[in-house]
Amino acid sequence: MSKILITGATGLLGGLVIDFLLQKGIEANEISALARSEEKAKTLKNVNINIKVGDYNDYDSLVAAFKGTEKLLFISGEDLTARLSQHENVVKASKESGVKHVVYTSFQRRNETETSPLGVLAQSHLLTEKWLKESGLNHTILKNNLYMDYIPSFIGDRVLETGTIYLPAGKRKISAGLRTEYAEATANILISEGHENKVYDFTNIEAYSYGDMAKSISEITGKTIQYISPSINEFTQALTHAGVPTESIGVLSGFSVAQEQGDLDVTSTDLKNLLGRNPTTLKTFLKTVYSS
Ligand code: NAP
C-alpha cells in the first residue's frame, strides 16, 4: 500500500516534495501522485511513482484516488474562482476515504478579516482550515508566506535599467522563503511523526522591506537602486498606462498593500526547525539573481 499521496504533484511545489521524499529514502512505490491525467504524470510514472488520476472538481475521483492513503499532502488549487468548492471536495473525500492525516498548504497572514488586501485569496484558505479542523481528521496546516522565487517579478525585470523599485508596500517587511525550502520542510513533516493538529509558519527568520532590497541590489550590482512607494491609486494608474494586465496589477497591489499593512511580516523559527538549518535569506537569494 502506498502511504503518502501528493496532490498538485504535477506542479512545482508538489514535484519538489516528491524529489525530497525520494532523496530522503522513501521508496517510489510508497508514494502516490494525484494528477489530472496520466499524460500529465508521465515524468512521475517514469520514476515509478503510483499515479492516481483525479480532479479537485470531481469528488468521486478523489474518493477513489485517496483510498489507502495514510498521509495526504493537500496542495491548494490555483483557480481562485473554483477553489472553494474544490477544497471542500478534497476535505470531504479525505474523510470518506479514510485518510489518516492531511497536511495542507495554506497561506501566511495577520489579518483574517474581509478588510485584508488579500481577501480574495484568503477566503478559501481560511475556510479550508476550518473544514479540516471540524472534520476530525488529523491535520497539519502550513502557513506559507510568499515564495521568495516571486520577489524578482515584484521588483520588475527592468530594475537595473530604471534604477527603481516601484511598489506600494511602504516601509513594511516580508518574510518570504524559497519554494524549494518549503518543499523540503514539507517532506520532512510527511516522513516524521508528531505533527498532528499543528500549525506551522513557513516564513524566513528575518524579514525585508523593498527599501532593504533596493540597498542589497545596489551593493550586489554597484548600481544605485532607489525604492519608491506610490499611493495605490498612483500605482494602479501608472501600471495601467504602461499596459500591465489588470489581473497582474491586482496581484502586485494585493501583496504590496498587505505588506504595507504588516500582514506578511511574520518571522518564525518553524521553517528553520523543520529544515534543521537556517533558511536561505532574501539577501543571499538576491545575490544569485542579480550578481551575473
Ligand atoms: P503550480 O506549479 O501552479 O501547481 C499547481 C498544481 O495544482 C498542479 O499540479 C495542478 O495540476 C494542480 N491542480 C490545479 N487545479 C487542479 C484540479 N482542479 N484538480 C487537481 N489538481 C489541480 O503551483 P505551485 O508553485 O506548485 O504552488 C502550489 C500552490 O500554492 C498553488 O496551487 C497555489 O494555491 C499556491 N501558491 C502559493 C504561492 C506562494 O507564494 N506561497 C504562490 C503561488 C501559488 P495541473 O498540472 O494539471 O495543472
Side-chain angles (χ1 to χ4, degrees), residues 9-10 15 18 33 40-51:
T10 51
I18 291 177
K40 285 190 172 190
K42 253 189 187 162
T43 320
L44 293 167
K45 197 168 183 170
N46 287 342
V47 291
N48 299 324
I49 304 293
N50 304 295
I51 307 306

Side-chain angles (χ1 to χ4, degrees), residues 5-18 21 32-34 56 62 66 72-79 83 86-87 90 94 102-106 125 128 132 140 142 144 147 179 182-183 186-187 190:
L5 187 144
I6 314 293
T7 74
T10 51
L12 293 167
L13 182 69
L16 286 164
V17 173
I18 291 177
L21 289 174
S32 296
L34 184 83
Y56 292 160
L62 299 177
F66 295 170
L72 176 82
L73 173 61
F74 171 16
I75 292 186
S76 52
E78 10 116 78
D79 178 349
R83 193 152 76 175
Q86 292 180 342
H87 284 197
V90 176
S94 301
V102 178
V103 178
Y104 173 60
T105 64
S106 191
H125 284 301
T128 307
L132 279 170
T140 308
L142 312 179
N144 291 3
Y147 299 145
R179 185 196 272 111
Y182 292 174
T186 304
L190 291 168

Side-chain angles (χ1 to χ4, degrees), residues 66-280:
F66 295 170
K67 288 248 159 74
T69 300
E70 283 181 15
K71 289 187 185 171
L72 176 82
L73 173 61
F74 171 16
I75 292 186
S76 52
E78 10 116 78
D79 178 349
L80 291 186
T81 50
R83 193 152 76 175
L84 206 54
S85 61
Q86 292 180 342
H87 284 197
E88 194 174 15
N89 282 343
V90 176
V91 176
K92 284 188 173 161
S94 301
K95 182 86 181 162
E96 186 174 334
S97 55
V99 171
K100 303 268 185 310
H101 183 169
V102 178
V103 178
Y104 173 60
T105 64
S106 191
F107 87 118
Q108 184 60 240
R109 73 283 171 164
R110 282 187 193 279
N111 182 355
E112 297 197 349
T113 72
E114 283 168 12
T115 62
S116 166
L118 294 175
V120 178
L121 184 147
Q123 192 207 18
S124 48
H125 284 301
L126 294 172
L127 275 169
T128 307
E129 290 184 13
K130 181 173 173 283
W131 293 328
L132 279 170
K133 286 174 189 161
E134 289 172 356
S135 69
L137 285 158
N138 282 324
H139 57 272
T140 308
I141 291 165
L142 312 179
K143 287 164 126 185
N144 291 3
N145 204 307
L146 183 73
Y147 299 145
M148 196 188 276
D149 316 57
Y150 284 123
I151 295 278
S153 61
F154 277 67
I155 287 173
D157 294 348
R158 295 178 56 231
V159 63
L160 299 183
E161 278 165 62
T162 62
T164 304
I165 299 176
Y166 184 78
L167 286 166
K171 293 185 176 164
R172 302 299 283 273
K173 299 185 177 194
I174 184 162
S175 185
L178 281 177
R179 185 196 272 111
T180 183
E181 291 184 336
Y182 292 174
E184 184 176 352
T186 304
N188 288 342
I189 288 173
L190 291 168
I191 61 174
S192 59
E193 299 307 320
H195 305 290
E196 289 82 1
N197 309 327
K198 294 206 170 146
V199 178
Y200 294 114
D201 285 310
F202 273 19
T203 71
N204 223 305
I205 51 172
E206 53 190 35
Y208 296 84
S209 67
Y210 281 104
D212 298 330
M213 294 183 227
K215 195 164 164 251
S216 287
I217 301 171
S218 301
E219 283 165 12
I220 293 161
T221 62
K223 293 181 185 158
T224 303
I225 308 294
Q226 61 171 342
Y227 168 52
I228 297 174
S229 180
S231 72
I232 185 69
N233 284 343
E234 282 171 320
F235 180 73
T236 307
Q237 274 174 21
L239 268 67
T240 306
H241 186 70
V244 177
T246 315
E247 202 185 320
S248 306
I249 299 175
V251 173
L252 292 171
S253 9
F255 274 93
S256 298
V257 177
Q259 183 170 331
E260 195 267 332
Q261 296 178 0
D263 235 13
L264 300 165
D265 184 4
V266 176
T267 49
S268 155
T269 51
D270 287 351
L271 183 65
K272 172 186 169 167
N273 294 339
L274 286 158
L275 288 171
R277 61 172 192 275
N278 285 342
T280 302

